[in-house]
Amino acid sequence: MSCTEREKLFGYAQRLLEPREEHEVRAHLESCPTCRAAAEEYRKVDTLLEEWTPLEPSPSFDARVREAVEPSGASRSLLGLFGFPGLRWMAPALVTVLVVVAFVAVLHVRHGRRAAHAPAQASSMPAAPDAPSAPPTETMGGEEEVKLYQNLFMLEDYDLLAEFDLLSELPKGETKVDN
Amino acid sequence: MDQDLDLMLRVRAGDSASFEELLRRYRVPLVSYFRRMLRDPALAEDLAQEAFLRVYKARARYRPDARFTTWLYRIATNLALNAIRDRKEISPAGGNESSDGEAELLPVVDSKPTVEQLLIESHRVWLIRDAIQALPENQRIAVILHKYQELDYGQIAKILGVSVSAVKSLFFRAYESLRVRLEPLLKGGLI
């Protein structure tokens, strides 16, 4: 049997033939046991291949895919919002909120630290018999407070902050506070 | 509309739950595809992971001009072929294909199964796997995509960049080789 005929036989076994061709091959098979056996063999190969069933991934597979996908989307932009178009407008607002929160947090920490220092200083000094000790915040003059703001490390490291992914849209080095 | 395509459009619009659904639907088919294309199960999983990552990264550029599975398996096939070619560059002696991508009917590696392999799969399955993996690249892709991943000839033609009649011809030649290689099973010796 020629190769072309075998290909037709294969097409018949795989049900790939046009109805007219299929009819012709079927008629031929009725009188040709060799071709019948060949067509049957193609079908057997097909059935045999089905024994190689789908293969389950390892238990950690899904978690690994999620880990691989996250940095490029959901978690890279912190809130998972900016990986998708249409929500990018929120970035500047979030940056502003973060800067304000950071500023307030630093003020709070500084204030708390000074409050803790003041009683210690007061106890090491001889107490004036008739002057009651004032709360530490009230002891600070206006000039001293301005110096404190100027020395806030967060603002000094503005460039460092600007390197953060979310703050990268801010202009670099333009609002640095000089001492 | 094709349900997968709809899911992919949702992923493009930012719906991460739809990506989870695609992962759930295609985790087994993709891992199976790579494990059928390659002999190394660990590499197969790495490539399946990479395929999902590429789908996710390309979501913004996704255009629904073909079926989702055509797009997915085109990505997967490129990854598999690159991995196969990289391995050949590392160990040229292991390769047995000529420059036009046609292979001789020789196993890619030592064809004796290890005890470990036999514990995982039966000897019969091992013979089937060996016969398929010994096929030339394009024949192997055609058989695996059609027989196991259930893609039609038109989809396979698009993935391989050939005509539908060329795919049919690849498929026929692959079955001719498989018929010879699997003769012991077909004749009933090991069935």
Side-chain angles (χ1 to χ4, degrees):
Chain A
M1 178 179 262
S2 77
C3 194
T4 325
E5 284 167 328
R6 270 207 93 96
E7 200 162 347
K8 203 179 266 188
L9 215 49
F10 173 74
Y12 175 80
Q14 292 285 319
R15 296 183 176 84
L16 296 170
L17 300 181
E18 297 297 322
R20 194 178 58 83
E21 272 185 322
E22 193 177 312
H23 180 75
E24 279 172 19
V25 175
R26 193 182 297 122
H28 171 70
L29 291 183
E30 278 170 17
S31 60
C32 179
T34 315
C35 286
R36 213 165 43 233
E40 187 54 32
E41 211 164 48
Y42 288 129
R43 286 207 180 113
K44 276 187 183 172
V45 171
D46 224 24
T47 310
L48 200 56
L49 295 186
E50 282 162 18
E51 289 185 28
W52 196 11
T53 51
L55 307 152
E56 276 289 327
S58 62
S60 64
F61 179 75
D62 291 6
R64 279 168 52 212
V65 171
R66 287 185 194 108
E67 272 172 32
V69 160
E70 274 205 349
S72 67
S75 71
R76 187 191 62 175
S77 47
L78 198 63
L79 296 183
L81 295 172
F82 312 125
F84 299 109
L87 293 170
R88 287 193 170 272
W89 60 272
M90 286 184 72
L94 182 74
V95 167
T96 311
V97 170
L98 281 176
V99 168
V100 170
V101 168
F103 186 75
V104 170
V106 168
L107 272 184
H108 185 74
V109 167
R110 292 272 172 149
H111 180 79
R113 209 180 282 164
R114 238 172 343 95
H117 267 272
Q121 280 175 349
S123 66
S124 64
M125 284 165 67
D130 347 316
S133 59
T137 45
E138 286 170 20
T139 61
M140 185 189 263
E143 210 179 305
E144 222 176 332
E145 203 165 341
V146 169
K147 271 187 188 170
L148 171 70
Y149 296 150
Q150 284 178 333
N151 287 327
L152 288 176
F153 73 95
M154 288 291 280
L155 295 178
E156 284 176 355
D157 288 346
Y158 182 86
D159 281 343
L160 185 71
L161 273 177
E163 290 304 313
F164 279 91
D165 206 19
L166 283 169
L167 301 177
S168 60
E169 291 181 22
L170 291 174
K172 288 197 175 179
E174 284 176 16
T175 53
K176 186 173 181 179
V177 176
D178 296 325
N179 280 333
Chain B
M1 191 192 281
D2 172 5
Q3 227 180 0
D4 296 332
L5 204 139
D6 188 44
L7 282 169
M8 192 58 215
L9 289 175
R10 285 166 193 266
V11 173
R12 189 177 74 176
D15 180 13
S16 53
S18 294
F19 182 76
E20 280 289 319
E21 177 60 18
L22 285 174
L23 173 61
R24 193 190 62 76
R25 285 179 182 212
Y26 286 100
R27 56 195 287 282
V28 173
L30 260 194
V31 168
S32 299
Y33 178 61
F34 284 111
R35 284 182 69 176
R36 284 172 172 139
M37 285 291 292
L38 307 156
R39 286 174 186 269
D40 180 347
L43 178 64
E45 286 214 359
D46 287 348
L47 292 177
Q49 179 189 317
E50 180 63 24
F52 277 115
L53 182 60
R54 289 192 183 193
V55 164
Y56 191 76
K57 279 183 172 173
R59 67 195 184 282
R61 300 190 303 275
Y62 179 70
R63 296 282 170 273
D65 48 11
R67 284 167 69 178
F68 174 75
T69 45
T70 309
W71 184 61
L72 178 69
Y73 283 107
R74 185 184 289 150
I75 292 171
T77 301
N78 287 339
L79 283 168
L81 289 177
N82 286 340
I84 290 166
R85 285 160 195 169
D86 284 352
R87 294 214 145 186
K88 275 181 196 156
E89 277 170 29
I90 294 165
S91 134
N96 55 11
E97 287 188 21
S98 59
S99 55
D100 63 355
E102 292 295 307
E104 299 156 34
L105 286 176
L106 293 170
V108 179
V109 291
D110 180 13
S111 64
K112 284 178 189 160
T114 63
V115 177
E116 249 181 354
Q117 281 171 324
L118 287 176
L119 281 174
I120 295 166
E121 56 196 29
S122 75
H123 188 62
R124 289 168 56 81
V125 170
W126 188 87
L127 285 173
I128 295 165
R129 182 174 70 93
D130 199 50
I132 289 175
Q133 289 183 337
L135 292 171
E137 276 173 9
N138 279 358
Q139 289 182 25
R140 198 185 327 162
I141 292 166
V143 168
I144 295 173
L145 285 179
H146 184 68
K147 185 69 198 158
Y148 297 109
Q149 313 309 127
E150 297 176 348
L151 267 63
D152 61 38
Y153 289 144
Q155 288 183 286
I156 298 169
K158 278 184 185 166
I159 289 169
L160 293 177
V162 297
S163 65
V164 172
S165 61
V167 172
K168 285 180 183 172
S169 178
L170 281 172
F171 207 56
F172 166 65
R173 282 184 282 148
Y175 267 60
E176 279 292 288
S177 303
L178 291 172
R179 199 172 56 82
V180 174
R181 288 188 153 268
L182 296 173
E183 199 178 3
L185 297 180
L186 293 170
K187 299 286 178 206
L190 288 162
I191 289 180

